[in-house]
Amino acid sequence: MEHTQLEGNLIIRCETAGTSEWLVIHSINEEAFGRPDEADLVDNLRKEGVILASLVAELEEGIVGHIFFSRMYIETRNQSIAAAALAPIAVLPKHQRQGIGGRLIRHGLDLLRQRGEHIAIILGHPDYYPRFGFSCAKAESLESPFPPKSFMAMELVPGALNGLLGKVKYPAAFGLGR
Ligand SMILES: CC(C)(COP(=O)(O)OP(=O)(O)OC[C@H]1O[C@@H](n2cnc3c(N)ncnc32)[C@H](O)[C@@H]1OP(=O)(O)O)[C@@H](O)C(=O)NCCC(=O)NCCS
């Protein structure tokens, strides 16, 4: 993905592979969530080799936000359909509510579309994610361990979820078992 200059000095770009940026991303997640779980999740998803996209939001002062997408599946009766799990997303507390999270999500979804992904799935706040196209209704026929109110899906290709009935299978790093 090309670097994209947004209004102000915000840049959204793919992460640079390598320990130094991974450490920064780790600390952004830890600070945004106020605990290490999501930061560790990102490290473990990388180790598991299921990364689809990892984008950072960068200002002159450095990286202030991060979003991660990993490979998951919807297991129907006779096939495994590939989907993208959005998790986690983090913006440093002092930069929240300035549209950075929204920009990370939109850029991430655009990138996934460009790469031919069909479906994105999120467990998140029902007031926030519908504005990007996620909906509980779209996830209704997907069996998951999550409360239906917070479990949302989105078609990156129109019709991708039509008639799809199955159980979600997340990467092992999520610790959800089978
Ligand atoms: C969620 C998060 C990434 C959003 O980033 P952001 O840059 O603040 O988001 P934006 O500025 O694009 O959007 C802000 C809007 O989202 C809403 N919003 C953000 N997080 C929300 C949440 N957890 N629940 C409900 N609404 C939320 C805000 O109310 C605001 O809405 P408004 O503009 O209508 O008032 C950021 O708040 C964050 O890092 N939070 C801590 C980590 C976290 O909870 N991650 C999400 C896990 S699902």
Side-chain angles (χ1 to χ4, degrees):
M1 183 174 76
E2 291 298 308
H3 291 194
T4 310
Q5 187 81 41
L6 299 164
E7 17 338 341
N9 295 315
L10 186 74
I11 287 171
I12 307 284
R13 63 168 173 82
C14 290
E15 71 170 26
T16 305
T19 318
S20 65
E21 193 148 300
W22 289 344
L23 287 172
V24 176
I25 289 171
H26 187 99
S27 68
I28 301 268
N29 278 283
E30 193 161 4
E31 194 177 334
F33 284 92
R35 60 181 196 182
D37 305 44
E38 288 76 12
D40 292 344
L41 173 64
V42 169
D43 295 343
N44 290 333
L45 287 166
R46 276 203 205 91
K47 275 186 212 144
E48 199 178 330
V50 289
I51 177 170
L52 284 180
S54 177
L55 306 183
V56 294
E58 193 169 34
L59 290 169
E60 264 162 37
E61 67 188 73
I63 294 173
V64 297
H66 171 248
I67 189 168
F68 198 93
F69 296 91
S70 58
R71 168 64 70 224
M72 65 177 295
Y73 293 93
I74 299 164
E75 300 202 314
T76 70
R77 204 193 302 188
N78 48 20
Q79 55 181 330
S80 255
I81 307 288
L86 190 178
I89 174 167
V91 173
L92 286 177
K94 79 167 176 161
H95 292 285
Q96 288 175 9
R97 302 190 95 117
Q98 293 159 33
I100 296 175
R103 301 228 176 246
L104 278 165
I105 294 169
R106 289 198 175 90
H107 274 69
L109 294 173
D110 284 348
L111 182 61
L112 292 181
R113 265 188 218 100
Q114 284 166 27
R115 291 182 177 174
E117 292 294 325
H118 287 208
I119 298 166
I121 289 182
I122 182 144
L123 174 70
H125 201 286
D127 290 343
Y128 187 47
Y129 296 96
R131 67 187 78 176
F132 306 106
F134 286 96
S135 95
C136 295
K138 286 280 177 197
E140 241 167 26
S141 60
L142 307 179
E143 187 187 332
S144 90
F146 308 119
K149 238 184 85 177
S150 317
F151 184 63
M152 290 166 264
M154 150 171 201
E155 292 172 341
L156 298 171
V157 171
L161 283 160
N162 277 357
L164 203 60
L165 205 67
K167 184 175 175 181
V168 292
K169 186 185 174 201
Y170 278 81
F174 282 88
L176 295 165
R178 285 274 7 218

